[in-house]
């Protein structure tokens, strides 16, 4: 075993001297009072290296022994990941708490997957079959899915299957297949494999451009700032602007197969809320708990900062693993600002030249490399899989001009800016429709969507003017534009997260309702005075809000359609009367 010794300690950074070769990003263990503290090599200079330690460094002294593992920071990939709660190093937190108590001891690590549980293996290849990296040799049932057992992703070339076990129950460390390469050398394939978290998994044939809209069932997102299957988006917003509620609704209702939540440095209270509520959330697709298709990577702001980085990479690596199975994965990272702050802290300890607001000069490239691991990919058999990444950003004071937000905006395809003003006005979702944008197409007609935003912008402009000059300073036509904008916001862009029907709107219903609203926005209203106009739109708004809570195409729903048509006819009668 290669060893070194500590020559300096600076917070979570430890300087080490060694005599043999050391690799960048290699895992090392700092020995302190019989404890081995996990660390990662982040810089090598000659015969010295700097390590970031993933644990509290109290008690580490100059001269302490350091053991190098010759392995990169990696995760285990295999059946049993779904439904689990891990920390950034893939330690299963419930099992750690059961073993060592709720106040977790440092230097204690556990295997992420149950090595004793038996899985029902079904072979999909025969002796003589030709396989390559990423090809499936068998499947095991895991909750809702057939979990594919695949040829390790880093193997190069073609292989021939020389042995495959009979269908039956096996533990994850069982050799289920043997293959040989073109030179005749044999290799074992187990149900579990390891993969370095900072290396993207690329065992696919082609990476495609995201085009198909991801149905989130949140009307404001799907219409105004749509997300694509395999795309990227960010949700910057100040504290208390509704990021957590939005994550819950996206996790439950977005049309994806697997959800991974990486809590990378959020406040402990918010993470506890996720841990308590996710197991209680019911998956509308299955009627079972949402945790059956969810993985939570948990690293709070009270944990060592170095682990924030590992939680981000662990989350995206697990997402890539399930994408290799042909599944659509949604990765929600909350919040990338905390990860960036950890990078800033370590950069300062390394005495690197700082960039804007003391963030490291490589901030943009690190954020870009993370989001680039999203995408829609095509496999050799013609099937596809995707990772859609949504990163929450927590800019101080809601300032979207700060470096983390700006670096993120350069690489994502959608910007869902959260507004404190909308949150204070109890408008959910709190995404600002006038500031937000997307590069992806929607399943709603894009021209109609642009028309609705233009009406919203006009109404907002009149509303701002009315704050200065009052209603008296606006014409009737301007006031009607204001009322139309408020109507569209109230009945379509806002949803009731506590109403079973209104909290999630399927694509078919969104298209139907949006076309109905466009008819109203296109209608030329004329009223005798502003009071009659206000009363008319208040009644129309109430009808629509009731409509949003009714089952699509039910008898009650169709009755409300008739009532709305009647109300629109009344508006035309008012127009004739005013003329």
């Amino acid at each position: 075993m290669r060893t070194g010794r500590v020559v300096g300690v600076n917070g979570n950074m430890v300087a080490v001297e060694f005599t043999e070769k050391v690799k960048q990003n290699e895992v090392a263990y700092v020995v302190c009072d019989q404890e081995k503290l996990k660390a990662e090599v982040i810089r090598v200079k000659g015969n010295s290296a700097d390590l970031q330690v993933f644990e509290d460094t109290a008690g580490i002294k100059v001269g302490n022994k350091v053991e190098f593992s010759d392995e990169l920071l990696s995760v285990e990939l295999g059946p049993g990941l779904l439904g689990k709660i891990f920390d950034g190093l893939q330690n299963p937190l419930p099992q750690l708490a059961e073993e060592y108590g709720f106040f977790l001891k440092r230097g204690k690590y556990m295997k992420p997957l149950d090595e004793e549980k038996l899985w029902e293996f079904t072979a999909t290849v025969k002796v003589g079959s030709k396989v390559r990296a990423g090809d499936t040799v068998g499947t095991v049932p895991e909750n809702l899915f057939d979990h594919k057992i695949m040829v390790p992703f880093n193997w190069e070339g073609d292989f021939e299957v020389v042995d495959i076990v009979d269908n039956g129950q096996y533990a994850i460390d069982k050799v289920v297949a043997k293959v040989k390469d073109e030179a005749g050398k044999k290799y074992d394939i187990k149900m579990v494999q390891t993969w370095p978290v900072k290396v993207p998994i690329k065992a696919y044939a082609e990476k495609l451009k995201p085009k198909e809209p991801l149905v989130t069932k949140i009307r404001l997102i799907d219409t105004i700032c749509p997300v694509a299957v395999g795309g990227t988006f960010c949700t910057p917003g100040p504290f208390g602007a509704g990021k957590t509620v939005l994550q819950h609704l996206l996790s439950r209702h977005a049309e994806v197969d697997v959800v991974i939540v990486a809590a990378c440095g959020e406040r402990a209270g918010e993470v506890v809320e996720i841990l308590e509520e996710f197991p209680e959330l019911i998956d509308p697709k299955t009627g079972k708990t949402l945790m059956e298709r969810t993985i939570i990577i948990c690293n709070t702001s009270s944990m060592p900062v170095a682990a924030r980085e590992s939680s981000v990479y662990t989350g995206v690596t697990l997402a890539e693993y399930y994408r290799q199975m042909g599944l659509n994965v949604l990765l929600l990272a909350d919040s990338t600002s905390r990860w960036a702050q950890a990078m800033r802290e370590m950069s300062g300890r390394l005495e690197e030249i700082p960039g804007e607001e003391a963030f490291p000069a490589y901030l943009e490239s690190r954020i870009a490399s993370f989001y680039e691991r999203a995408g829609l990919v095509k496999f050799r058999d013609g099937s596809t899989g995707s990772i859609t990444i949504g990163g929450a950003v927590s800019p101080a004071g809601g300032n979207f001009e700060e470096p983390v937000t700006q670096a993120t905006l350069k690489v994502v395809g959608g910007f869902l800016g959260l507004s404190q003003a909308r949150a204070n006005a109890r408008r959910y979702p709190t995404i600002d429709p006038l500031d937000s944008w997307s590069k992806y197409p929607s399943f709603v007609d894009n021209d109609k969507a642009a028309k609705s935003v233009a009406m919203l912008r006009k109404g907002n402009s009149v509303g701002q003017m009315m704050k200065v000059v009052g209603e008296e300073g606006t014409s009737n036509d301007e006031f009607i534009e204001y009322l139309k904008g408020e109507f569209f916001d109230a009945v379509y862009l806002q949803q009731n997260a506590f109403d079973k029907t209104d909290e999630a709107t399927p694509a078919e219903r969104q298209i139907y309702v949006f076309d109905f609203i466009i008819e109203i926005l296109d209608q030329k209203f004329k009223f005798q005075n502003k009071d009659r106009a206000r009363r008319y739109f208040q009644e129309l708004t109430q009808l629509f809000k009731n409509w949003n809570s009714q089952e699509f195409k039910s008898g009650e729903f169709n009755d409300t359609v008739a009532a709305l048509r009647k109300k629109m006819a009344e508006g035309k009668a008012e127009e004739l009367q005013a003329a």
Side-chain angles (χ1 to χ4, degrees):
M1 179 183 290
R2 293 171 296 117
T3 61
R5 70 180 194 92
V6 174
V7 294
V9 182
N10 183 2
N12 278 88
M13 191 187 80
V14 172
V16 179
E17 282 186 352
F18 55 87
T19 54
E20 300 177 65
K21 289 184 178 180
V22 169
K23 294 186 292 188
Q24 180 81 4
N25 299 122
E26 181 178 359
V27 171
Y29 293 90
V30 181
V31 181
C32 175
D33 299 330
Q34 308 305 314
E35 297 172 331
K36 291 187 177 182
L37 308 183
K38 198 169 189 176
E40 180 188 19
V41 176
I42 56 174
R43 184 169 67 181
V44 180
K45 301 180 296 182
N47 289 329
S48 66
D50 294 315
L51 317 181
Q52 61 174 356
V53 184
F54 298 115
E55 304 272 13
D56 181 11
T57 55
I60 296 178
K61 300 174 183 176
V62 171
N64 279 19
K65 183 181 176 183
V66 177
E67 298 175 354
F68 295 97
S69 68
D70 200 30
E71 296 175 353
L72 299 181
L73 185 64
S74 303
V75 290
E76 285 191 3
L77 304 174
L81 291 168
L82 290 180
K84 290 292 183 67
I85 300 170
F86 299 110
D87 68 3
L89 300 175
Q90 214 193 6
N91 293 303
L93 287 177
Q95 285 82 351
L96 268 181
E98 190 177 321
E99 182 77 19
Y100 301 108
F102 291 109
F103 295 96
L104 303 179
K105 300 180 185 297
R106 71 175 186 173
K108 303 298 182 184
Y109 310 107
M110 295 185 76
K111 286 282 188 178
L113 299 174
D114 187 342
E115 295 182 336
E116 296 181 0
K117 182 175 179 178
L118 299 180
W119 297 88
E120 190 66 43
F121 177 81
T122 303
T124 57
V125 295
K126 299 177 181 178
V127 172
S129 298
K130 298 290 185 180
V131 293
R132 302 189 70 182
D135 286 353
T136 305
V137 298
T139 63
V140 299
E142 183 187 19
N143 297 349
L144 311 172
F145 311 106
D146 283 333
H147 187 113
K148 294 181 179 179
I149 307 303
M150 293 171 276
V151 178
F153 306 127
N154 59 339
W155 290 8
E156 296 182 0
D158 293 316
F159 298 86
E160 181 184 338
V161 177
V162 295
D163 187 31
I164 185 81
V165 297
D166 296 330
N167 295 349
Q169 294 188 338
Y170 304 100
I172 58 172
D173 60 351
K174 168 74 175 178
V175 175
V176 293
K178 291 180 182 289
V179 298
K180 66 178 181 180
D181 62 15
E182 293 171 342
K185 186 177 180 181
K186 293 184 178 181
Y187 301 86
D188 294 339
I189 297 176
K190 298 182 179 180
M191 288 195 200
V192 64
Q193 60 176 298
T194 59
W195 188 262
V197 295
K198 294 186 178 178
V199 178
I201 298 174
K202 294 185 177 180
Y204 49 78
E206 184 183 2
K207 195 166 190 178
L208 307 174
K209 185 176 180 180
K211 290 182 179 179
E212 183 185 344
L214 172 64
V215 180
T216 67
K217 298 184 181 176
I218 297 174
R219 296 189 292 262
L220 194 158
I221 296 177
D222 290 342
T223 303
I224 305 300
C225 39
V227 176
V229 175
T232 56
F233 66 95
C234 66
T235 54
F239 300 113
K243 290 192 289 291
T244 304
V245 177
L246 187 61
Q247 284 183 345
H248 283 195
L249 270 293
L250 284 172
S251 301
R252 286 183 67 195
H253 299 296
E255 294 189 353
V256 294
D257 301 309
V258 174
V259 177
I260 298 177
V261 179
C264 45
E266 270 304 289
R267 292 172 294 181
E270 293 189 16
V271 177
V272 168
E273 187 179 333
I274 290 174
L275 297 180
E276 287 181 341
E277 292 190 7
F278 262 68
E280 302 297 325
L281 292 176
I282 299 301
D283 186 351
K285 294 181 180 179
T286 63
K288 300 178 182 179
T289 173
L290 186 63
M291 281 301 293
E292 286 204 359
R293 59 184 183 93
T294 301
I295 303 172
I296 297 177
I297 313 296
C298 174
N299 189 86
T300 68
S301 55
S302 58
M303 294 179 179
V305 295
R308 297 180 191 176
E309 182 178 32
S310 64
S311 63
V312 171
Y313 288 113
T314 296
V316 75
T317 305
L318 297 182
E320 287 175 333
Y321 179 57
Y322 279 96
R323 178 176 66 182
Q324 285 294 134
M325 299 181 201
L327 300 175
N328 294 318
V329 184
L330 174 63
L331 171 62
L332 299 172
D334 186 14
S335 115
T336 55
S337 292
R338 308 293 191 191
W339 168 38
Q341 288 163 9
M343 278 194 282
R344 177 168 63 183
E345 185 170 326
M346 293 308 297
S347 176
R349 296 191 194 284
L350 291 168
E351 298 180 355
E352 295 172 334
I353 298 174
E356 189 179 353
E357 292 189 21
F359 284 103
Y362 48 78
L363 174 69
E364 288 187 13
S365 63
R366 287 283 178 88
I367 289 177
S369 66
F370 166 64
Y371 282 102
E372 282 168 2
R373 291 175 73 167
L376 174 68
V377 300
K378 184 177 181 180
F379 303 107
R380 289 202 302 150
D381 62 1
S383 63
T384 60
S386 72
I387 300 174
T388 306
I389 295 182
V393 187
S394 306
N399 173 27
F400 291 173
E401 300 303 315
E402 58 88 40
V404 181
T405 306
Q406 288 301 307
T408 305
L409 289 180
K410 290 178 181 178
V411 295
V412 295
F415 168 64
L416 282 57
L418 304 182
S419 163
Q420 189 68 62
R422 286 181 72 86
N424 294 340
R426 300 295 185 265
R427 296 187 177 190
Y428 173 81
T430 57
I431 299 165
D432 190 328
L434 299 180
D435 284 344
S436 302
W437 50 262
S438 173
K439 298 176 182 176
Y440 305 120
S442 170
F443 53 77
V444 172
D445 184 273
N446 287 325
D447 291 336
K448 291 179 180 178
K451 183 188 291 185
S452 68
V453 173
M455 179 59 70
L456 202 62
R457 206 173 293 280
K458 284 181 186 176
N460 180 67
S461 178
V462 175
Q464 295 300 320
M465 184 172 65
M466 283 167 51
K467 289 179 181 178
V468 179
V469 300
E471 284 185 16
E472 302 79 14
T474 60
S475 66
N476 279 3
D477 287 344
E478 288 174 330
F479 189 66
I480 288 170
E481 284 184 345
Y482 165 74
L483 291 174
K484 281 184 176 180
E486 287 293 297
F487 163 76
F488 176 58
D489 193 346
V491 304
Y492 190 81
L493 300 185
Q494 293 178 47
Q495 288 175 250
N496 184 353
F498 298 101
D499 184 279
K500 187 177 179 181
T501 303
D502 195 29
E503 72 171 0
T505 307
E508 184 185 2
R509 179 170 183 155
Q510 286 191 51
I511 294 168
Y512 181 89
V513 173
F514 188 70
D515 286 344
F516 205 105
I517 285 176
I518 288 294
E519 281 188 55
I520 295 172
L521 297 183
D522 283 343
Q523 189 166 322
K524 304 293 184 183
F525 291 101
K526 284 191 179 296
F527 296 94
Q528 291 180 335
N529 54 54
K530 293 185 177 72
D531 285 337
R532 290 187 74 116
R534 185 186 295 106
R535 191 180 312 116
Y536 176 83
F537 275 98
Q538 284 174 346
E539 292 170 357
L540 191 63
T541 299
Q542 193 56 52
L543 269 173
F544 249 95
K545 285 186 174 180
N546 293 339
W547 197 36
N548 286 338
S549 299
Q550 294 162 1
E551 196 74 29
F552 186 44
K553 292 189 177 178
S554 64
E556 191 181 22
F557 181 92
N558 294 331
D559 290 343
T560 306
V561 172
L564 285 166
R565 291 288 181 195
K566 184 179 178 183
K567 198 68 188 172
M568 290 169 67
E570 287 177 18
K572 291 180 180 177
E574 284 270 7
E575 181 182 340
L576 293 172
Q577 193 175 346

